[in-house]
Amino acid sequence: MDLEQIERVVETARDRIAGASDLDELAAVESEAVGRRSEIVAARRGIGALLPDRRRTVGKAVNEAIRSLTAAAAARRSVLEEEAENVLLERDRVDMTLPYGRPLRGTHHLLTSTADEVCDIFRSIGYQVAEGPELELAWYNFDALNTPPTHPSRFESDTMYVESFDGEERRGPDELLLRTQTSPMQVRYMERRLPPVYVVVPGRVFRTDTWDATHSPVFHQIEGLAVDSDITFGDLKGTLAHFAGEFFGPGARTRFVPHFFPFTEPSAEMLVWFNGEWLEMLGCGMVDPNVFEAVGYDPGKVTGFAFGMGVERLAMVKHGITDIRHFYDNDLRVLGQFR
Amino acid sequence: MRAPIGWLADFLNLPTRDPHEIERILVSLGHEVESIEEFSPTFEGVIVGRVEEVGPHPDADRIRFCRVYDGAQTHDVVCGAWNFEAGAVIAYARVGSRLGVDADRPLEVGRRKIRGVVSHGMIASARELGLGDDHEGILVLDELGAAGPDDLGRPLEEVLGLSDVVLDVSITTNRGDCMSIRGLARELAAYWQIPLLDVEPRPACGPEASDFEVTIEDPEACPRFVAHQIDGVTIGPSPLWMQLRLLSIGQRPISNVVDVSNYVMWELGHPIHTFDAAAIAERHIVVRRAGEGETLTTLDGAERDLHPGDILVADPSGPIALAGVMGGATTEVSAAAADILVEAAHWHPPSILYTSHRLGLRSEASARFERGVDPNLSGLAAARAVELITLTAGGIPRAAAVDAHPSPVTSWQVRLTARDVGRLLGPDPSFEESLALLDRLGFDAAREGDAAGVTVPTHRSDVTRPADLVEEIARLHGYDRFPDLVRRGRTGALTPAQAAARRLREALVGAGLTEAKTLSFLGQADLDALRLPDGDPRRRGIRVKNPLREEEAILRTTLLPGLIGAAARNISRGLKTVRLFETGRVFRSAADPDDPRIPHQPRQLAMVLAGPEVDVFAATGMIDLVARVTGCALEVHQTALPILHPGRSAAVVCDGTPIGMVGELHPSLARRFGLSGRAAAAELALDPILSDLGVWEMEEVSVFPPLVFDMAFLIPDAVPSSRLIKTMGQSAGPHLEGLDLFDEFRGGSIPGGYRSLAVRVTLRAMDRTLSDQEARLVLQDIWAAVQGGLGGYLRGGL
């Protein structure tokens, strides 16, 4: 084969490679062009019979022809392969907006997540979390908290009492009741350890309240207690203002006004400026010396502050919930809105 | 406590009358202001007029024809009242004015023809003006001293000073002394540092000495009883100014003597009671506790059974009043009464609280006695009442009151040190400033270096200790002025149990369960519906003595009734599948292991899964989840338990101890709770699961490839799959990596009484690739154990 013939063969074969419409055709065309029985391979076998000066030029042309046709076939192959894959991919297409395969996910109750949020704010400044019994002795709920035996909060119109669980009749401080506040845990906590004390206590509390939009016989509180050798009223204010800022957002302003609780002196109520009004958010005060006496702390050596807040109230204010009954109806259309 | 600003002005030269400024100050002092209300008249367009002429109506005997001058014009008016003559200054309701006993139903005054004579407007009575009940005659303003000829033509509300602003103040239970205009004025005076303009009553007493005797049998119940006789009073309406004051604080005027009692109570905070002196037997008052079986008919006509805790005012014939709570009917000052006895007494607050609560008789008087009234105020209050009664009802008081004062209370001293103040309040205010603040509040401080003897006035019975004085200092100093210091504690770490509880809750939520919160109460019907056997501890719930409803009379012994009810409600509202859980305390009739004085109140976890997308294995799967999240090994032991479907019921066992149950609800029970389809449930004790398991340690994993084989066994029906897995695990040797049961099959070629269970066995060695030969030996061991221990057969051979 002379050079001209080689060129012609290459040209023809290159056109056929480029024109191959699928991988099978390409394989056939490639085999015909550079396969063992192709003209060009036959020509290479005949090179040895040529005159030495032609041997070099023809040999070079043949090798170059095989190389270029092989490369052209490879290029065409990758084009055809990609096209074939695209067809398959197009066939795989799905509607990605179909709602399949969603993982199940429930929700935490808002009262739980709110209580966790409050506890975590206090944990971040070094307060531990503790819980106490719901069925309590009058001693812890009232007497040790400096509440006189005749205080109206002890009446059955406010407090739920229970019958004996073991046949033994209990009177006075030993009477059993459903705690009306988380404050009894202040006493239990201090009874079991020495100062300093930094703790928050979430829990369920009970009152003889009939249901309405803002009252429930069962609700939740979070108690806080800090006792150390040098705690002042400013510590109470600053700590609770810090909490309000963390919980309601940095813009939350707070205001403290005098109030009365049997177990703190001085006592205060914290108001928070939220959505354009001052809202009563929690009660607080410096721990009354009689409470320290009741737990065996020396009121001359330690001071402290205590506070208590309603979890329902916090959640209702923050999330715009207007009826407390939503928390206990367990309607999944409501629970499902929680996070 | 309603406080009209105009009334406060009796006691203070107010630097401001801005209600919001006064509110701000009261709140800063600890007196929450619940509302600010306008006290305004219910009439409109009524002016002061004078009757120029009065004469007979030409065609009627009972009404008269008048000519009324309003300062500019004269009008013809017909009037039915006879309590005035020409020259009287009256309230003239012009044509177009409005009258109303209540503001919602105003009456527009028009031009009216009465028996042939046209009346241009009317002359109004107090009742028509909404100023009280008196409609016997018209309001004669000059007689009442309320208006004179100079006021003709002026709007009546302006002349009467009828617009005031009333602050409704909520008084905390420790501050009985602020349940009065004078008490609140005293607080404001301390704030503004201005003098209190106190009342100084000077009743015009006659010469005759009192012939009443007062005996106090129980000085604790009654430390003081002041009784002042007045002879010859005339019962009638009280003066307009007094009626207006009472109306402004929301008290209906009744008659002069009653109105004075109320007026003094609101003004000074000391309740006053009046008796018809003629009705008291032997002119002898005896103060004592009630005897067993005694009764008293009170002013409201109800016969009250008395109790030994009640304090009584009695005479030798029996009880005549329920002290501090309500008077008795027999000694009531009726319209015909002439001689009266005015009582200003001090009562033991807890007893008053006891009686008023027991009888459900909370009154303005009992509210004050409950909080505590200054016993040294009784003399002043009696004098003020006597002064005002003689002013409004006439009569001659006896020369002096009988003042029975068996246990006088004098002021007491509290020693306050600079350290007491500084350790609670910090460096500001200084001790000197602190004492000055106390002085403003009426506490007299005698300083000696870093300490002071502080004398507490008797109206501040709430102040007995240094801490109480510190509150007074802080309050007047202003809470706003203390710094805001963030107090950091020591550590905020959760305990391992708390952390595990949070992880558990998060896992359940992640598995699709929603957290519910149900009440802590059950009714007997709930317990009956659970069909618990007699000895079941869940039957023995602790009962609430004073439940709100019978359905909430027992403390819950299980979370399930509440949770099943919640699931049923959701399904009835249209939901198909419901997955709920709750964690909470239940109450057992057994002593708490840590504190035997109280019942055991363990924490439980309960779940209810109902609807077509869940079955009983969704519930057993959750038990597995709980085990994985907490690291606590939990086993499910099939056994028929109460509440559950007998064939789909298992105990949950932790460390060999049953801690709960899982299964499908018994269908008849589910129906009783309103669930129509199948529902799965579980309830477990949380405390053992959340106990501290210590720190877990990692096990090394192998880098060599696994060998995986499937084995299918024919197993007798009675053998639970968990036993098969356990047997296989125990016999598989050290290279076992996993056993996964993937198929259960009955019927077909499987003989009756057997089922086929297929298990995938994964083997892997830590140090080498296992050979097929080694694996074959392991499978032979497993096979032998299953055949020997469970009576199973291998399907298809090895």
Side-chain angles (χ1 to χ4, degrees):
Chain A
M1 225 189 272
D2 61 17
L3 292 177
E4 228 166 89
Q5 282 173 306
I6 290 169
E7 201 172 305
R8 213 167 43 242
V9 167
V10 167
E11 215 161 288
T12 312
R14 194 175 271 155
D15 286 350
R16 294 190 58 196
I17 286 169
S21 59
D22 60 38
L23 288 167
D24 288 345
E25 188 185 340
L26 177 65
V29 170
E30 186 179 7
S31 166
E32 215 168 289
V34 293
R36 265 182 292 155
R37 264 171 282 183
S38 63
E39 278 182 82
I40 202 90
V41 169
R44 189 163 66 180
R45 282 196 292 270
I47 285 171
L50 295 175
L51 293 171
D53 58 329
R54 273 185 52 86
R55 202 184 290 164
R56 231 190 36 236
T57 52
V58 172
K60 201 175 161 195
V62 166
N63 282 336
E64 173 56 27
I66 291 172
R67 194 202 60 74
S68 85
L69 287 178
T70 306
R76 182 64 187 154
R77 185 174 299 109
S78 85
V79 168
L80 289 175
E81 275 171 357
E82 193 179 328
E83 278 175 11
E85 177 151 54
N86 284 345
V87 169
L88 288 177
L89 290 177
E90 181 54 35
R91 207 175 294 154
D92 274 353
R93 181 190 163 89
V94 295
D95 174 359
M96 289 296 286
T97 65
L98 287 170
Y100 299 157
R102 294 196 171 167
L104 285 176
R105 169 93 194 161
T107 53
H108 297 272
H109 198 284
L110 184 59
L111 294 175
T112 306
S113 43
T114 302
D116 280 355
E117 187 182 353
V118 174
C119 290
D120 288 349
I121 292 169
F122 283 99
R123 287 174 54 216
S124 76
I125 54 170
Y127 291 62
Q128 286 189 295
V129 181
E131 285 180 62
E134 294 171 4
L135 198 49
E136 234 337 336
L137 296 173
W139 165 257
Y140 289 105
N141 198 69
F142 291 126
D143 301 86
L145 292 168
N146 197 36
T147 310
T150 53
H151 197 272
S153 61
R154 294 182 184 241
F155 286 124
E156 292 201 344
S157 54
D158 283 33
T159 300
M160 279 186 248
Y161 292 86
V162 303
E163 288 177 3
S164 177
F165 67 97
D166 54 5
E168 194 182 314
E169 264 316 304
R170 291 170 169 80
R171 287 271 147 250
D174 293 333
E175 209 167 349
L176 278 170
L177 49 80
L178 286 162
R179 66 176 175 188
T180 59
Q181 49 195 0
T182 40
S183 313
M185 195 51 193
Q186 282 187 32
V187 181
R188 284 189 177 272
Y189 199 79
M190 285 192 279
E191 265 182 353
R192 293 193 171 200
R193 46 180 73 62
L194 294 170
V197 165
Y198 293 92
V199 67
V200 287
V201 181
R204 193 172 261 226
V205 299
F206 306 82
R207 304 259 170 102
T208 321
D209 278 336
T210 44
W211 288 100
D212 66 26
T214 55
H215 292 92
S216 156
V218 172
F219 58 104
H220 294 76
Q221 281 188 341
I222 296 173
E223 190 79 6
L225 177 69
V227 178
D228 213 327
S229 56
D230 58 347
I231 292 180
T232 66
F233 191 67
D235 293 313
L236 172 156
K237 279 186 66 192
T239 306
L240 292 175
H242 167 77
F243 156 72
E246 295 278 84
F247 187 82
F248 289 105
R253 283 191 287 145
T254 55
R255 191 180 163 198
F256 291 81
V257 297
H259 204 74
F260 173 71
F261 303 106
F263 41 95
T264 50
E265 188 85 339
S267 302
E269 195 163 57
M270 182 174 83
L271 313 179
V272 176
W273 182 259
F274 191 73
N275 285 342
E277 56 181 328
W278 285 108
L279 300 169
E280 292 158 19
M281 258 1 286
L282 59 83
C284 54
M286 302 301 289
V287 178
D288 193 284
N290 290 353
V291 176
F292 285 141
E293 302 258 3
V295 301
Y297 284 13
D298 181 349
K301 291 202 174 125
V302 291
T303 56
F305 63 76
F307 55 88
M309 59 187 111
V311 182
E312 280 81 355
R313 168 109 177 121
L314 289 170
M316 288 169 85
V317 166
K318 190 167 177 173
H319 300 282
I321 296 165
T322 52
D323 196 321
I324 199 169
R325 288 169 283 208
H326 283 312
F327 292 121
Y328 298 97
D329 187 50
N330 296 308
D331 188 328
L332 279 159
R333 294 168 300 172
V334 174
L335 298 180
Q337 295 178 43
F338 302 160
R339 300 279 187 266
Chain B
M1 171 69 209
R2 287 169 64 86
I5 291 175
W7 201 344
L8 286 169
D10 281 8
F11 286 90
L12 297 164
N13 287 318
L14 289 172
T16 174
R17 279 178 177 261
D18 175 3
H20 297 287
E21 175 62 5
I22 296 174
E23 174 192 23
R24 190 191 63 76
I25 294 165
L26 286 174
V27 169
S28 79
L29 292 171
H31 307 297
E32 190 192 334
V33 175
E34 295 195 336
S35 66
I36 297 176
E37 291 160 30
E38 293 276 337
F39 172 65
S40 49
T42 57
F43 56 80
E44 221 179 277
V46 178
I47 55 171
V48 178
R50 185 173 59 205
V51 178
E52 298 293 305
E53 287 172 43
V54 54
H57 186 285
D59 293 320
D61 294 340
R62 315 245 325 244
I63 52 179
R64 295 191 293 176
F65 173 79
C66 308
R67 289 183 60 74
V68 174
Y69 178 61
D70 68 3
Q73 284 176 292
T74 306
H75 310 271
D76 295 346
V77 182
V78 172
C79 181
W82 292 79
N83 64 328
F84 65 97
E85 291 307 325
V89 177
I90 47 82
Y92 173 47
R94 291 176 290 176
V95 173
S97 61
R98 287 165 182 278
L99 301 178
V101 175
D102 68 274
D104 301 334
R105 291 185 288 118
L107 164 77
E108 178 150 351
V109 177
R111 192 175 282 107
R112 235 168 24 120
K113 197 179 237 181
I114 300 167
R115 299 276 184 116
V117 175
V118 175
S119 184
H120 296 264
M122 59 188 279
I123 303 175
S125 71
R127 180 146 97 170
E128 285 157 344
L129 293 166
L131 298 179
D133 280 346
D134 188 10
H135 60 289
E136 290 296 304
I138 56 128
L139 197 59
V140 184
L141 296 168
D142 53 342
E143 263 178 31
L144 293 164
D150 296 344
D151 298 317
L152 298 185
R154 289 176 60 197
L156 182 65
E157 61 272 23
E158 188 186 308
V159 173
L160 295 179
L162 241 188
S163 45
D164 205 343
V165 175
V166 183
L167 303 174
D168 194 357
V169 189
S170 156
I171 306 294
T172 52
T173 51
N174 58 329
R175 293 302 304 272
D177 64 301
C178 287
M179 296 281 284
S180 66
I181 302 297
R182 180 175 178 251
L184 286 174
R186 190 158 47 203
E187 293 275 292
L188 290 168
Y191 180 87
W192 279 315
Q193 306 188 58
I194 58 173
L196 183 76
L197 310 174
D198 211 351
V199 290
E200 290 170 6
R202 290 198 182 76
C205 296
E208 207 173 329
S210 179
D211 59 358
F212 257 88
E213 192 187 336
V214 175
T215 306
I216 297 175
E217 290 186 356
D218 185 344
E220 189 208 22
C222 177
R224 189 174 187 188
F225 193 105
V226 179
H228 207 148
Q229 272 171 274
I230 309 175
D231 301 324
V233 299
T234 308
I235 306 298
S238 58
L240 188 63
W241 64 267
M242 184 176 282
Q243 295 195 22
L244 292 176
R245 282 262 162 103
L246 292 175
L247 285 168
S248 71
I249 49 98
Q251 184 99 47
R252 200 167 57 90
I254 293 163
S255 72
N256 41 19
V257 171
V258 176
D259 289 357
V260 167
S261 302
N262 284 326
Y263 189 89
V264 172
M265 178 176 70
W266 286 95
E267 183 183 57
L268 303 180
H270 196 309
I272 298 287
H273 187 64
T274 50
F275 299 92
D276 183 342
I280 300 173
E282 299 173 38
R283 295 192 159 308
H284 189 181
I285 295 275
V286 181
V287 178
R288 58 174 172 84
R289 299 278 180 175
E292 205 68 69
E294 279 192 294
T295 61
L296 171 70
T297 304
T298 43
L299 280 176
D300 54 0
E303 181 166 337
R304 311 280 179 179
D305 287 326
L306 303 177
H307 194 274
D310 300 326
I311 311 173
L312 294 182
V313 180
D315 64 16
S317 72
I320 58 172
L322 210 43
V325 177
M326 195 181 263
T330 57
T331 52
E332 184 181 5
V333 177
S334 65
D339 300 343
I340 62 168
L341 186 74
V342 176
E343 164 208 306
H346 181 65
W347 308 108
H348 182 230
S351 303
I352 300 302
L353 188 63
Y354 166 80
T355 302
S356 65
H357 267 267
R358 184 173 66 78
L359 298 175
L361 288 173
R362 312 290 307 275
S363 64
E364 290 291 343
S366 70
R368 284 165 177 77
F369 283 125
E370 283 167 21
R371 285 173 161 84
V373 172
D374 180 7
N376 293 319
L377 186 58
S378 304
L380 182 80
R384 179 69 168 154
V386 171
E387 177 189 58
L388 290 174
I389 287 172
T390 48
L391 190 75
T392 62
I396 299 172
R398 294 295 173 105
V402 178
D403 188 349
H405 201 176
S407 29
V409 175
T410 53
S411 36
W412 52 95
Q413 277 222 337
V414 177
R415 194 181 131 82
L416 182 71
T417 65
R419 182 170 177 269
D420 291 332
V421 181
R423 63 200 291 269
L424 285 174
L425 300 185
D428 238 359
S430 70
F431 192 47
E432 188 170 336
E433 288 168 313
S434 299
L435 297 183
L437 289 163
L438 288 175
D439 182 65
R440 280 162 60 185
L441 287 163
F443 298 91
D444 192 17
R447 182 171 178 180
E448 295 160 19
D450 275 347
V454 180
T455 305
V456 180
T458 55
H459 66 265
R460 291 305 304 274
S461 57
D462 60 313
V463 176
T464 56
R465 307 165 304 164
D468 304 329
L469 288 170
V470 170
E471 178 172 67
E472 293 301 298
I473 294 163
R475 187 165 81 82
L476 194 58
H477 183 65
Y479 280 10
D480 290 345
R481 292 171 61 193
F482 290 93
D484 283 348
L485 310 166
V486 178
R487 185 71 185 198
R488 286 174 192 279
R490 300 290 197 271
T491 166
L494 291 176
T495 63
Q498 287 168 342
R502 282 200 181 185
R503 224 164 44 236
L504 174 59
R505 232 173 38 226
E506 182 52 54
L508 293 170
V509 166
L513 272 62
T514 291
E515 188 188 9
K517 288 215 181 273
T518 66
L519 300 188
S520 302
F521 309 109
L522 299 174
Q524 188 59 47
D526 293 316
L527 288 177
D528 292 345
L530 291 180
R531 299 153 39 116
L532 297 167
D534 278 345
D536 195 300
R538 286 169 293 189
R539 252 193 184 291
R540 289 187 291 128
I542 298 171
R543 297 191 76 88
V544 180
K545 280 183 181 164
N546 52 328
L548 284 162
R549 310 188 303 156
E550 204 40 49
E551 300 95 296
E552 294 166 4
I554 301 170
L555 294 180
R556 62 183 178 187
T557 54
T558 155
L559 306 182
L560 283 176
L563 215 50
I564 297 170
R569 270 201 308 285
N570 275 292
I571 286 172
S572 76
R573 285 171 184 152
L575 243 74
K576 287 229 165 346
T577 300
V578 176
R579 301 176 180 88
L580 291 174
F581 78 99
E582 180 175 12
T583 61
R585 290 183 192 275
V586 298
F587 302 83
R588 299 256 180 260
S589 289
D592 184 276
D594 290 331
D595 182 352
R597 297 171 296 173
I598 57 173
H600 193 208
Q601 303 160 49
R603 281 177 302 168
Q604 303 262 111
L605 163 67
M607 304 174 224
V608 170
L609 308 161
E613 294 166 40
V614 290
D615 60 21
V616 72
F617 297 111
T620 52
M622 290 298 163
I623 302 299
D624 181 57
L625 178 71
V626 172
R628 279 186 282 152
V629 168
T630 58
C632 179
L634 296 180
E635 290 169 16
V636 170
H637 291 185
Q638 183 142 9
T639 172
L641 293 173
I643 301 177
L644 300 176
H645 182 309
R648 298 180 168 202
S649 164
V652 178
V653 176
C654 171
D655 221 358
T657 310
I659 59 155
M661 50 173 253
V662 59
E664 190 172 297
L665 289 177
H666 196 290
S668 70
L669 180 149
R671 275 194 302 275
R672 282 185 76 167
F673 279 92
L675 282 173
S676 50
R678 291 174 185 267
E683 183 168 26
L684 336 168
L686 267 185
D687 296 309
I689 299 176
L690 299 179
S691 61
D692 187 0
L693 295 174
V695 177
W696 62 271
E697 282 179 20
M698 192 187 129
E699 283 173 28
E700 209 43 75
V701 294
S702 168
V703 296
F704 296 93
L707 286 177
V708 180
F709 300 89
D710 290 346
M711 301 177 85
F713 298 98
L714 288 180
I715 297 290
D717 274 345
V719 176
S721 71
S722 60
R723 262 188 81 195
L724 171 66
I725 297 295
K726 199 169 187 176
T727 304
M728 292 174 75
Q730 284 164 350
S731 55
H735 304 310
L736 180 70
E737 187 172 272
L739 293 170
D740 299 298
L741 194 150
F742 63 92
D743 187 49
E744 183 206 25
F745 177 68
R746 278 179 222 270
S749 61
I750 310 295
Y754 285 82
R755 58 183 170 153
S756 159
L757 293 173
V759 180
R760 177 154 301 159
V761 181
T762 307
L763 301 173
R764 178 153 29 195
M766 288 300 294
D767 54 351
R768 65 188 189 281
T769 301
L770 288 176
S771 68
D772 282 359
Q773 184 53 36
E774 283 177 289
R776 187 165 298 275
L777 291 173
V778 171
L779 299 191
Q780 275 169 1
D781 288 344
I782 292 175
W783 153 226
V786 171
Q787 188 178 37
L790 306 178
Y793 301 95
L794 190 65
R795 287 181 80 201
L798 282 174

